[in-house]
């Protein structure tokens, strides 16, 4: 599953977005890849994607806070999909809750990917923390955040898992340690929700994200522990990874 709901999807204009969507449509036929977050029109955006894996039905929802931005002065249209134009899905709290509630009975697991938050800030904003809990209460199981270009804390709440920001992965901002760091997650889910979440430290070197160990990996894992402490999140530490301890 690939999410394309972010504020760079119109960097090459509508033609670039359509070419990208056409590419992934072809890949879907060959490799069973599902794309969320960018849609051909309003009707397509309202068609929630559900993938069944080993008998578990997983609903994928994706939204971006930046969808209402204009692409450029010379090309004055918003990034979000409209009734007859392609684009990304906008972040609207009430609409997200409606989507979660609409798909909750159709899927075993509901996963949100949210392009949100403040760049280069290790702490999620208060509105994010409040909204994330609303989404979990509405029926979401897992929230995966991105956009800040750095890692943010991890929280467990009411049976749900909230990863506020996974940091950078393919965004090769190698001008600071903060923006070279990220995390990869190995999630195990069942019809009852998420069962385990293991975190692997990622470091971008020469434009390539690598899962790292040793001192480099330990430094990133220590950061995850430190910035998650405010949420009371507990981890089981292994030499090369962290296991989130479910409450």
């Amino acid at each position: 599953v690939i999410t394309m709901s972010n504020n760079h999807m119109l960097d090459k204009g509508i033609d670039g977005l359509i070419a990208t969507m056409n590419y992934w449509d072809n890949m879907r036929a060959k490799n069973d890849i599902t794309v969320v977050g960018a849609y051909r029109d309003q009707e397509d955006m309202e068609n929630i994607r559900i993938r069944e894996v080993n008998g578990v039905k997983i609903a994928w929802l994706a939204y971006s806070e930046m969808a209402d931005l204009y692409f450029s002065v010379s090309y004055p249209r918003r990034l979000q999909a409209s009734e007859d134009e392609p684009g990304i899905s906008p972040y609207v709290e009430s609409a997200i809750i409606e989507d979660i509630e609409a798909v909750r009975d159709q899927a075993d697991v509901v996963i949100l990917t949210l392009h949100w938050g403040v760049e280069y800030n290790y702490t999620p904003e208060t509105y994010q923390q409040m909204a994330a809990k609303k989404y979990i209460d509405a029926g979401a199981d897992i929230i995966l955040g991105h956009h800040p270009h750095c890692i943010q804390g991890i929280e467990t709440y009411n049976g749900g898992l909230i990863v506020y920001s996974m940091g950078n992965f393919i965004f090769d901002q190698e001008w600071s340690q903060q923006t070279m760091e990220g995390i990869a997650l190995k999630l195990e889910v069942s019809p009852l929700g998420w069962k385990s979440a293991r975190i692997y430290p990622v470091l971008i070197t020469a434009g390539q994200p690598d899962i790292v160990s040793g001192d480099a990996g330990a430094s990133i894992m220590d950061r995850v522990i430190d910035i998650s402490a405010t949420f009371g999140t507990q981890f089981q530490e292994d030499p090369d990874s962290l296991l989130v301890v479910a409450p």
Side-chain angles (χ1 to χ4, degrees):
V1 176
I2 295 173
T3 176
M4 298 205 305
S5 189
N6 67 73
N7 55 302
H8 289 279
M9 287 315 302
L10 285 181
D11 282 4
K12 296 296 182 179
I14 289 294
D15 290 343
L17 175 59
I18 292 175
T20 304
M21 296 175 73
N22 288 341
Y23 173 83
W24 287 118
D25 279 347
N26 291 331
M27 290 295 288
R28 177 176 57 185
K30 297 177 183 178
N31 298 307
D32 198 23
I33 291 174
T34 298
V35 174
V36 296
Y39 305 97
R40 297 187 180 277
D41 51 35
Q42 180 72 29
E43 183 179 0
D44 186 32
M45 186 165 59
E46 293 173 355
N47 179 24
I48 297 175
R49 275 57 166 171
I50 299 177
R51 287 289 302 270
E52 184 170 341
V53 182
N54 294 332
V56 180
K57 294 180 179 179
I58 305 172
W60 290 85
L61 305 172
Y63 309 90
S64 175
E65 281 189 330
M66 297 78 197
D68 62 343
L69 297 178
Y70 282 94
F71 172 60
S72 73
V73 174
S74 60
Y75 188 49
R77 65 142 290 176
R78 298 184 188 277
L79 273 67
Q80 68 186 62
S82 64
E83 184 175 346
D84 55 2
E85 283 190 309
I88 65 175
S89 46
Y91 179 95
V92 180
E93 187 176 297
S94 59
I96 294 172
I97 291 174
E98 288 180 6
D99 287 346
I100 295 169
E101 293 175 342
V103 78
R104 179 67 271 181
D105 291 338
Q106 303 173 42
D108 301 308
V109 178
V110 177
I111 299 179
L112 302 187
T113 70
L114 302 178
H115 202 72
W116 65 346
V118 177
E119 293 181 339
Y120 317 119
N121 190 344
Y122 285 125
T123 303
E125 299 296 293
T126 300
Y127 80 87
Q128 292 176 266
Q129 298 175 45
M130 295 174 63
K133 292 177 173 61
K134 291 180 183 179
Y135 302 146
I136 298 296
D137 288 338
D141 296 286
I142 300 166
I143 297 173
L144 303 176
H146 33 88
H147 177 64
H149 300 296
C150 66
I151 299 166
Q152 291 184 341
I154 295 171
E155 183 175 11
T156 58
Y157 166 76
N158 194 21
L161 176 69
I162 305 166
V163 183
Y164 286 102
S165 173
M166 299 174 69
N168 276 339
F169 190 75
I170 60 171
F171 209 126
D172 54 345
Q173 295 179 321
E174 294 182 54
W175 41 261
S176 74
Q177 184 68 26
Q178 180 191 44
T179 56
M180 291 168 62
E181 296 178 347
I183 57 172
L185 273 80
K186 182 177 182 180
L187 296 168
E188 183 180 0
V189 300
S190 78
L192 299 178
W194 71 282
K195 294 178 63 178
S196 69
R198 186 170 293 277
I199 297 161
Y200 294 91
V202 170
L203 188 67
I204 298 172
T205 306
Q208 175 67 46
D210 290 311
I211 292 177
V212 291
S213 57
D215 291 343
S219 175
I220 296 171
M221 291 190 294
D222 286 345
R223 192 182 312 282
V224 172
I225 293 171
D226 288 345
I227 61 180
S228 301
T230 185
F231 304 120
T233 308
Q234 300 294 313
F235 300 94
Q236 177 182 313
E237 298 183 54
D238 294 325
D240 299 324
S241 65
L242 294 173
L243 182 67
V244 179
V245 176

